[in-house]
Amino acid sequence: MEQKRRIVILGGGFAGAFTARHLHKRAPRNVEIELISDRNYFVFQPLLAEVAAGTINAQDAVTPLRLLLKGITVRMGEVRDIDFTNQTVQLAQGSRRIPAYRTYDHLVIALGQRTVLDRFEGFAEHSFCLRDLAHAHELRNHVIQCLEHADVTENPTLKARLLTFVIAGAGFSGVEIAGELHEMLQRTLKHYPRINRDEIKTILVQRGERILPELSPALGEYAADKMQKYGIEVRFGTSLARATGTAVYTRDGEIIPTHTLITTIGNGPTELVETLDLPMQRGRIQTEADMRVLGHTNVWALGDAALIPVGEAESAPTTAQFAVREARCLAANLVATLEERPTRPFSYAPRGTMASIGHYRAVAEVYGRKISGLTAWLLWRSFYIGMLPGFSTRLRVALNWLFDYFLPRSIVQVKTRTNSGVRVVHFAKDDVLFAPDQIVDGFYMVVHGTLESRVPMTGGEDFVRILGPGDHWGERCLTEGTPTLGKLTAVEDSELLVLESADFSRLRQALPPFADYLEHIPEKIYPPSLRPHREQ
Amino acid sequence: MEQKRRIVILGGGFAGAFTARHLHKRAPRNVEIELISDRNYFVFQPLLAEVAAGTINAQDAVTPLRLLLKGITVRMGEVRDIDFTNQTVQLAQGSRRIPAYRTYDHLVIALGQRTVLDRFEGFAEHSFCLRDLAHAHELRNHVIQCLEHADVTENPTLKARLLTFVIAGAGFSGVEIAGELHEMLQRTLKHYPRINRDEIKTILVQRGERILPELSPALGEYAADKMQKYGIEVRFGTSLARATGTAVYTRDGEIIPTHTLITTIGNGPTELVETLDLPMQRGRIQTEADMRVLGHTNVWALGDAALIPVGEAESAPTTAQFAVREARCLAANLVATLEERPTRPFSYAPRGTMASIGHYRAVAEVYGRKISGLTAWLLWRSFYIGMLPGFSTRLRVALNWLFDYFLPRSIVQVKTRTNSGVRVVHFAKDDVLFAPDQIVDGFYMVVHGTLESRVPMTGGEDFVRILGPGDHWGERCLTEGTPTLGKLTAVEDSELLVLESADFSRLRQALPPFADYLEHIPEKIYPPSLRPHREQ
């Protein structure tokens, strides 16, 4: 009897899922295929901007992998390590992250990329990206929270910040997000009677001199013109340097006060790929022309994670269209290898590119022809409906799009966990973190920078305390359940860690050394009149 | 000119939203109405079981309050306090929880109830409830996670636990959740090839001798019969005493190993209502027959939060049907008071009651007549479609229900934040928290109970450490990034607090006293061979 051979595919995006499908159809019968993914669904990334804007339901931008990959073993787990010598993948499975090990004869790495924002100070903590369904949910809930708050606040500075939305990068994603978001804001305004149309600012920031550099200059110009007509501010030749919780800063020194920054920039290898000892270039795994990883005979890579040479000195672009084509070629090469036939180099000439710009308009280049406006938009929609996997999803998305045309856009904000967890926040020089008589939402620890706490004292000078790295603030209000007495201001640009109030209380109860430490702070820091009364 | 009078309504559920709508229609022109809610949408609670089971989309069980209450001021905020003397409500607004104050001439309290599980040990931490949309999401994601893990694990004990689902309480909600969940499990099984139909256990636990005590015994029996035929285990005369992360315990001493407990029991006042100095009875605010709060002239209460006398020695039940009727009567009474006319006592004879039991079956009593089966189920669906606010929602829900009949049920699991936050976990005597060579997911602090950490040492006796309240575990593996060396077992029933790994690292960096403390643990606790190497 022939021995079973195992092919393990890591990743369930376009690259991984389509490789699995093609292999399932073509591979000899003695081949076992297993796909490992840390989420149990396939995300149709091009539609995430529409989910964030509420045009289509979240469920319709995704398909369960088990549905898409009928007959193929799908294992949900997080890949922790790969042992290339023993041909074993180490996983963590389930909510308790129990370890599991899977062996392979051939391994396909299709883990995509992640957003790496190290080059931009504060971006990792204060920006939204749109890689996964959860991101679309977060962005949507955040935008609605901004509108709700802007509608009721009486502070004009706060209101302006809440109503400014900045998108960094004007490639396909940036343009589509800006267009969709702007359309959503315009359409939901009727629910917010105290927000005027001209108070909303959508700003698209592009480092280069034109948007959509992937398309021809004429189409880029058309798109920029249209977007500006809808009211989107497009800034060319500008790039962002850093972000805080209340503003973004351009490299020219301009400050744009905002609570919402969406980035479409900063791609890098996933954490796992980074730790593997593989040949890397520009953050991607180097492969031969047939997608075999350099120096390996049974390890393959494709999709955004891989640097696949095409022609001379060029590599395949990181788009869904290419990933799908690479998957087909890689599956054929794997089958050829198993059957001891020669492999073929990857090559593909794309048929066209398209981008939606909101308000029922798009731009497209198909077989070299330029199309724009409503025609391009209808083409864009039909193309995506055609690409969606499964009849039921196609039907649902088509109906959603139809509904969206004549029904009001929903503005439901679903809160996920609140008052829990640890988050990093940035503040710029002179930002006021807390004014007197405010509710303290957490325990603030200074990571970088300097802050000033100033409490007015009856019949005397203010009590002033300077906080630097390692210092913290808020424990007194949290412990006593009282509002702030004074003001907390950033003296210079600062980074803080916030432990939310509920978690602060729990930790204080469960960790005696922490409680002890907090118990003895008052004598050290505060003058007698600010120390807690110890009746209880 | 007449002076404006302000009516402030707290709460946007059936009681609050419908009071606002009726007032908007009937109140004199010099009356301002403002509704304050901590979420910006109205939840159609009877449909949450269907959202959790994936029958309908989350968005279709909710309606934005601003859409439902056109022309009425809606303010999103969390009520912090009420000053009845100065007629002022204190709020926290926005994600930064900025304080705001609103004055009123009349105040309507429609804050509903919350789930209070103090009487049941471990329930608060280890059970799911279904009051809000976020709960439905959580439950759904958890159930899918259980299926995904059960499909790939090779541990039969773990698999059995993952596939056991316990529902506490067999009133309307409990029965509907059990029915919907069981149907969902049966229908999604085809995606999980390694799970057999008979491995799934859905257990409905009821303290009394019959389910649906609100209906006549014959209908309750019919429902129980049908549910048992579908494969749901119905246990009468049993009640649950406590829960851990791996099992529930009945009062008779039986242990049911499970990862999933859903409660529909334990109603109590909201945290705000608890702190107010109002006349309370059975956890509800006592009112006059006209819904004015006892001892107040301009404070009113209705819905689940209120104890409204009807007839002699009876009070209005806490159902959506009653809340809607109370809202109409309260609005009329408020208008009468403003116009200095006498108010009327609340009274209402309900027309009927219904419950869906899954698999296209329901039971109903309408105008005294008993109906069951498919007819009752169709009646139940039409009734809810009719009650839904707004044409677009009705259309969407109807279409979803139609789709659900012939399309596959989605099994997409959307993860919300992971590796972040602090959570409480319970373990029973002899539970193994960690075996050797596992990945440690957090910093474990003992709140109650005793645990044993046992590490095998080369050429010697095991290194044993006993942990009690105030002790902690996991810091060594987290700091060094290594898997467990030994085993962690609960010696008696224990409660622990877990700080997730990413937050542990952040806190260690930002809080020097914490880092100091951790730095000095190894010498105190571990033998030399287990201490970290200090090259770096």
Side-chain angles (χ1 to χ4, degrees):
Chain A
M1 212 181 81
E2 257 187 317
Q3 223 207 308
K4 282 264 182 195
R5 282 179 294 179
R6 286 178 48 79
I7 300 177
V8 171
I9 300 166
L10 306 181
F14 278 100
F18 281 83
T19 302
R21 276 170 77 110
H22 287 298
L23 273 176
H24 184 61
K25 270 184 232 153
R26 300 188 188 187
R29 271 200 296 175
N30 66 334
V31 171
E32 263 181 23
I33 306 163
E34 180 167 307
L35 184 138
I36 298 174
S37 166
D38 61 356
R39 52 190 182 207
N40 82 341
Y41 55 89
F42 164 81
V43 188
F44 202 80
Q45 279 195 339
L47 289 184
L48 287 180
E50 307 233 337
V51 174
T55 315
I56 63 167
N57 280 321
Q59 297 213 345
D60 300 332
V62 298
T63 307
L65 281 172
R66 291 173 184 280
L67 199 69
L68 190 62
L69 305 176
K70 273 181 199 151
I72 300 164
T73 305
V74 175
R75 181 176 290 265
M76 193 175 158
E78 186 199 323
V79 181
R80 302 267 308 171
D81 202 4
I82 303 170
D83 179 341
F84 295 109
T85 315
N86 296 308
Q87 299 182 186
T88 306
V89 175
Q90 189 202 336
L91 304 173
Q93 284 181 175
S95 55
R96 288 295 307 282
R97 308 184 72 231
I98 294 168
Y101 299 87
R102 310 301 295 165
T103 57
Y104 63 83
D105 293 293
H106 282 272
L107 182 71
V108 179
I109 302 176
L111 290 161
Q113 292 188 301
R114 76 182 160 112
T115 301
V116 178
L117 297 168
D118 303 345
R119 288 188 296 137
F120 308 93
E121 194 191 326
F123 270 46
E125 298 85 16
H126 300 286
S127 73
F128 294 87
C129 63
L130 265 191
R131 275 195 189 275
D132 195 3
L133 203 50
H135 299 150
H137 278 295
E138 272 168 35
L139 177 58
R140 184 174 166 66
N141 286 332
H142 171 80
V143 170
I144 295 171
Q145 171 84 51
C146 287
L147 292 174
E148 291 285 343
H149 198 179
D151 192 63
V152 295
T153 185
E154 273 141 37
N155 175 341
T157 321
L158 175 61
K159 191 177 185 183
R161 269 207 315 262
L162 288 165
L163 295 177
T164 301
F165 303 89
V166 179
I167 298 102
F172 287 119
S173 314
V175 164
E176 293 195 3
I177 294 167
E180 282 287 335
L181 179 66
H182 191 72
E183 192 185 333
M184 173 208 172
L185 291 167
Q186 299 297 321
R187 285 180 63 171
T188 52
L189 266 196
K190 62 175 174 197
H191 300 304
Y192 299 96
R194 283 170 297 274
I195 302 177
N196 290 321
R197 194 162 290 267
D198 56 10
E199 288 179 290
I200 290 197
K201 273 193 186 172
T202 312
I203 304 172
L204 181 61
V205 178
Q206 171 72 332
R207 195 168 49 172
E209 289 308 317
R210 58 190 182 96
I211 68 170
L212 295 170
E214 301 93 337
L215 294 178
S216 66
L219 280 176
E221 241 167 68
Y222 170 87
D225 266 10
K226 277 281 175 201
M227 293 183 88
Q228 278 161 331
K229 267 189 201 129
Y230 306 146
I232 298 169
E233 202 179 316
V234 186
R235 298 208 186 171
F236 301 99
T238 317
S239 72
L240 300 176
R242 63 189 187 96
T244 68
T246 53
V248 293
Y249 297 73
T250 69
R251 296 215 187 268
D252 323 327
E254 196 196 349
I255 302 171
I256 307 171
T258 179
H259 282 268
T260 315
L261 167 64
I262 306 162
T263 57
T264 60
I265 51 179
N267 292 316
T270 58
E271 280 165 349
L272 172 74
V273 168
E274 229 169 11
T275 64
L276 298 175
D277 189 22
L278 290 176
M280 303 288 290
Q281 197 184 325
R282 283 184 274 150
R284 291 156 72 191
I285 303 167
Q286 288 181 283
T287 73
E288 309 276 3
D290 65 355
M291 289 175 274
R292 223 183 283 244
V293 174
L294 286 190
H296 289 258
T297 53
N298 64 344
V299 182
W300 309 71
L302 80 165
D304 294 1
L307 195 79
I308 306 164
V310 283
E312 290 161 31
E314 275 202 59
S315 62
T318 56
T319 66
Q321 227 181 120
F322 268 84
V324 169
R325 283 305 174 123
E326 289 161 20
R328 185 191 289 192
C329 177
L330 196 148
N333 283 344
L334 247 171
V335 172
T337 306
L338 292 170
E339 292 171 350
E340 293 170 9
R341 289 184 286 110
T343 60
R344 287 196 305 191
F346 172 70
S347 72
Y348 173 55
R351 277 170 290 179
T353 40
M354 301 190 264
S356 154
I357 58 175
H359 301 77
Y360 312 107
R361 294 291 178 275
V363 288
E365 267 179 40
V366 186
Y367 293 115
R369 281 176 61 185
K370 295 175 189 57
I371 311 169
S372 62
L374 184 64
T375 320
W377 182 82
L378 287 170
L379 191 73
W380 179 84
R381 291 243 156 150
S382 339
F383 174 76
Y384 278 127
I385 289 198
M387 261 187 92
L388 284 170
F391 169 74
S392 68
T393 307
R394 275 179 214 171
L395 184 66
R396 278 182 202 255
V397 172
L399 277 171
N400 265 316
W401 276 340
L402 194 67
F403 281 168
D404 185 59
Y405 197 87
F406 65 92
L407 292 181
R409 201 64 77 83
S410 174
I411 50 163
V412 168
Q413 187 216 25
V414 182
K415 272 182 216 154
T416 43
R417 293 168 59 186
T418 48
N419 291 333
S420 177
V422 176
R423 63 198 155 88
V424 178
V425 290
H426 287 86
F427 292 92
K429 184 172 183 307
D430 299 331
D431 273 352
V432 176
L433 280 72
F434 286 93
D437 199 32
Q438 288 202 351
I439 299 144
V440 177
D441 59 343
F443 177 62
Y444 285 71
M445 294 160 269
V446 184
V447 179
H448 301 299
T450 312
L451 296 104
E452 181 200 80
S453 161
R454 179 178 289 271
V455 183
M457 305 290 283
T458 41
E461 272 184 22
D462 290 357
F463 166 69
V464 177
R465 188 158 72 92
I466 299 294
L467 288 83
D471 288 333
H472 43 72
W473 183 93
E475 63 281 352
R476 202 178 47 81
C477 292
L478 291 174
T479 311
E480 296 176 51
T482 52
T484 51
L485 289 174
K487 200 168 160 183
L488 184 67
T489 316
V491 176
E492 57 173 343
D493 298 349
S494 304
E495 180 180 318
L496 292 95
L497 193 72
V498 187
L499 177 67
E500 309 254 352
S501 52
D503 286 347
F504 172 79
S505 313
R506 287 186 188 148
L507 213 62
R508 192 160 54 96
Q509 280 163 30
L511 197 63
F514 186 49
D516 271 6
Y517 169 73
L518 290 170
E519 182 80 3
H520 294 100
I521 292 176
E523 307 68 298
K524 289 182 203 154
I525 297 179
Y526 303 110
S529 62
L530 288 181
R531 282 181 211 155
H533 306 288
R534 302 227 183 243
E535 286 102 330
Q536 71 274 43
Chain B
M1 211 181 82
E2 257 186 318
Q3 223 208 306
K4 282 264 182 194
R5 281 180 295 180
R6 285 179 50 80
I7 300 178
V8 171
I9 301 166
L10 307 182
F14 279 101
F18 281 83
T19 302
R21 276 172 77 110
H22 287 299
L23 273 177
H24 184 61
K25 271 185 232 155
R26 298 186 190 190
R29 271 200 297 172
N30 66 333
V31 171
E32 263 181 26
I33 305 162
E34 180 166 308
L35 185 138
I36 298 173
S37 166
D38 60 357
R39 52 190 182 208
N40 83 341
Y41 56 89
F42 165 81
V43 187
F44 202 80
Q45 278 195 338
L47 289 184
L48 287 180
E50 307 232 338
V51 175
T55 317
I56 61 168
N57 280 322
Q59 297 213 345
D60 300 331
V62 298
T63 308
L65 281 172
R66 292 174 183 276
L67 199 69
L68 191 61
L69 305 175
K70 273 179 198 153
I72 301 164
T73 306
V74 175
R75 183 176 288 266
M76 193 173 157
E78 186 199 324
V79 181
R80 301 268 308 172
D81 201 6
I82 303 168
D83 180 341
F84 294 109
T85 315
N86 295 308
Q87 300 183 185
T88 305
V89 175
Q90 190 202 333
L91 304 173
Q93 285 179 175
S95 55
R96 287 294 308 281
R97 307 184 75 231
I98 293 167
Y101 299 87
R102 309 303 295 166
T103 57
Y104 63 83
D105 294 294
H106 282 271
L107 182 71
V108 179
I109 302 175
L111 290 162
Q113 293 189 301
R114 75 183 161 112
T115 301
V116 178
L117 297 167
D118 303 344
R119 289 188 297 137
F120 309 93
E121 194 192 325
F123 270 46
E125 297 85 16
H126 301 286
S127 73
F128 294 87
C129 65
L130 264 192
R131 277 195 188 275
D132 197 359
L133 202 50
H135 299 149
H137 278 296
E138 273 169 32
L139 177 58
R140 185 176 165 65
N141 285 332
H142 170 81
V143 169
I144 295 170
Q145 170 83 50
C146 288
L147 293 173
E148 291 286 341
H149 197 180
D151 191 63
V152 295
T153 185
E154 272 141 37
N155 174 341
T157 321
L158 175 62
K159 189 176 187 185
R161 272 209 309 266
L162 287 165
L163 295 177
T164 302
F165 303 90
V166 179
I167 297 104
F172 285 118
S173 315
V175 164
E176 292 193 4
I177 293 167
E180 282 287 335
L181 178 66
H182 190 71
E183 193 186 331
M184 171 208 173
L185 291 167
Q186 299 297 320
R187 285 181 61 172
T188 51
L189 267 195
K190 63 175 170 198
H191 299 303
Y192 299 96
R194 283 169 299 272
I195 302 177
N196 290 321
R197 194 161 290 267
D198 56 10
E199 287 179 290
I200 290 197
K201 272 192 186 176
T202 313
I203 305 173
L204 180 61
V205 177
Q206 170 71 335
R207 193 167 53 172
E209 288 309 319
R210 60 193 180 93
I211 68 169
L212 295 170
E214 302 91 338
L215 294 177
S216 66
L219 280 177
E221 241 166 69
Y222 170 88
D225 267 10
K226 276 282 175 200
M227 293 182 87
Q228 278 162 330
K229 265 186 202 132
Y230 304 145
I232 299 170
E233 201 179 317
V234 187
R235 298 209 185 170
F236 300 99
T238 318
S239 71
L240 300 177
R242 65 191 186 94
T244 68
T246 54
V248 293
Y249 296 74
T250 69
R251 298 219 184 266
D252 322 328
E254 195 196 349
I255 301 171
I256 307 171
T258 179
H259 282 267
T260 315
L261 167 64
I262 305 162
T263 58
T264 59
I265 51 179
N267 291 317
T270 57
E271 279 165 349
L272 172 75
V273 168
E274 230 168 10
T275 64
L276 298 174
D277 190 23
L278 289 176
M280 302 288 289
Q281 198 183 323
R282 282 183 274 150
R284 291 155 71 191
I285 303 168
Q286 288 180 284
T287 73
E288 308 277 4
D290 65 356
M291 287 176 275
R292 222 183 283 245
V293 173
L294 286 189
H296 288 258
T297 54
N298 64 345
V299 182
W300 309 71
L302 81 166
D304 294 0
L307 195 80
I308 305 163
V310 283
E312 291 162 31
E314 276 203 58
S315 63
T318 55
T319 66
Q321 225 180 124
F322 267 85
V324 169
R325 283 307 175 121
E326 289 161 18
R328 183 190 289 192
C329 177
L330 195 149
N333 283 345
L334 249 172
V335 173
T337 306
L338 292 170
E339 292 171 348
E340 293 170 10
R341 290 184 286 108
T343 61
R344 288 197 305 192
F346 172 72
S347 73
Y348 173 56
R351 278 171 290 181
T353 40
M354 299 190 267
S356 154
I357 58 176
H359 301 75
Y360 313 107
R361 296 290 178 275
V363 289
E365 266 178 42
V366 186
Y367 293 115
R369 280 175 62 183
K370 296 174 188 56
I371 310 169
S372 62
L374 184 64
T375 321
W377 183 83
L378 288 170
L379 191 72
W380 179 84
R381 291 244 154 150
S382 339
F383 174 75
Y384 278 126
I385 289 198
M387 262 187 94
L388 285 170
F391 169 74
S392 67
T393 308
R394 274 179 215 169
L395 183 66
R396 276 183 204 255
V397 172
L399 277 172
N400 265 315
W401 276 340
L402 194 68
F403 280 168
D404 185 59
Y405 197 88
F406 65 91
L407 292 181
R409 199 67 75 84
S410 173
I411 50 163
V412 168
Q413 189 215 23
V414 182
K415 270 182 217 156
T416 43
R417 293 167 57 186
T418 47
N419 290 335
S420 176
V422 176
R423 63 196 155 87
V424 179
V425 291
H426 287 86
F427 292 94
K429 184 173 183 304
D430 299 331
D431 273 353
V432 176
L433 280 71
F434 286 93
D437 199 31
Q438 288 200 351
I439 299 142
V440 177
D441 58 344
F443 177 60
Y444 285 71
M445 294 160 269
V446 184
V447 179
H448 301 298
T450 312
L451 296 105
E452 182 199 80
S453 161
R454 180 178 289 270
V455 183
M457 305 290 283
T458 39
E461 272 184 23
D462 290 357
F463 167 67
V464 177
R465 189 159 71 93
I466 299 293
L467 288 83
D471 287 334
H472 42 76
W473 183 93
E475 62 280 352
R476 202 179 46 82
C477 293
L478 291 174
T479 311
E480 296 175 52
T482 51
T484 51
L485 289 173
K487 197 169 161 184
L488 183 68
T489 316
V491 176
E492 58 174 341
D493 298 349
S494 304
E495 180 180 319
L496 292 96
L497 194 71
V498 187
L499 177 68
E500 309 254 353
S501 53
D503 285 347
F504 172 80
S505 313
R506 288 187 186 148
L507 213 62
R508 194 161 52 96
Q509 279 162 31
L511 197 63
F514 186 50
D516 270 6
Y517 170 74
L518 291 170
E519 182 79 5
H520 293 101
I521 291 175
E523 298 86 283
K524 289 182 200 154
I525 296 179
Y526 304 110
S529 62
L530 289 181
R531 282 180 211 157
H533 307 288
R534 302 221 183 250
E535 286 101 328
Q536 72 276 42

